[in-house]
Amino acid sequence: MPTAPVDHQLDLTTQDVLTYGSWGLTLVLLGYAVHLGRKERTPFYALIVLAAMVAAFAEPLYDEGLE
């Protein structure tokens, strides 16, 4: 039966690629949310994306807590 790979170092290159990629996609989504918000005259879409960006800072705490 396979076991979880918890006893080795994290591949930092892959972690960087995934982190920058996800933030890049988030910025694209934020731009689209601002565009859609202007079209519909509401800040709701941008606020949802900004809330997700703030919540993303808690992700490393979750990773560290499970080690």
Side-chain angles (χ1 to χ4, degrees), residues 30-50:
L30 180 61
Y32 181 68
V34 168
H35 169 73
L36 193 58
R38 285 183 180 163
K39 181 179 172 185
E40 296 188 16
R41 303 181 61 91
T42 179
F44 180 73
Y45 303 110
L47 291 175
I48 293 294
V49 176
L50 290 173

